[in-house]
Amino acid sequence: MINILPRINELAYKSRTAGLTQAEQVEQQVLREDYLREIRGQIENTVTNLTVIDPVGEDVTPVKLRIKRADIQ
């Protein structure tokens, strides 16, 4: 679990109920950007490590993905 998620949720709740100060709004935006960066990194890592196999059993992984995987390794 991403460790900033509880704070993001806390600020979201406060935003809906009492409102946020200017500093809290800035903090919320920074935390959301960090969260999205983390999620995108996880998705990119997952996709990069995929291998696509057709019904016959042959590797049909897209060339772009193979190149990206080779660059990382």
Side-chain angles (χ1 to χ4, degrees):
M1 182 176 177
I2 300 173
N3 59 357
I4 61 174
L5 200 52
R7 181 63 179 155
I8 291 172
N9 290 334
E10 180 182 320
L11 289 171
Y13 177 76
K14 185 175 180 187
S15 173
R16 288 189 305 270
T17 56
L20 298 175
T21 66
Q22 184 67 28
E24 288 172 330
Q25 289 174 355
V26 171
E27 178 187 8
Q28 184 181 42
Q29 185 62 36
V30 169
L31 290 172
R32 285 178 173 173
E33 290 170 3
D34 289 345
Y35 175 79
L36 289 174
R37 192 173 10 265
E38 179 72 24
I39 294 297
R40 287 181 182 128
Q42 290 175 3
I43 291 171
E44 182 177 0
N45 186 37
T46 299
V47 170
T48 301
N49 291 315
L50 283 177
T51 301
V52 182
I53 306 294
D54 68 4
V56 179
E58 295 183 23
D59 184 358
V60 292
T61 304
V63 175
K64 285 184 179 182
L65 188 55
R66 290 182 194 186
I67 292 169
K68 185 166 184 122
R69 189 181 307 145
D71 289 342
I72 292 173
Q73 296 173 354

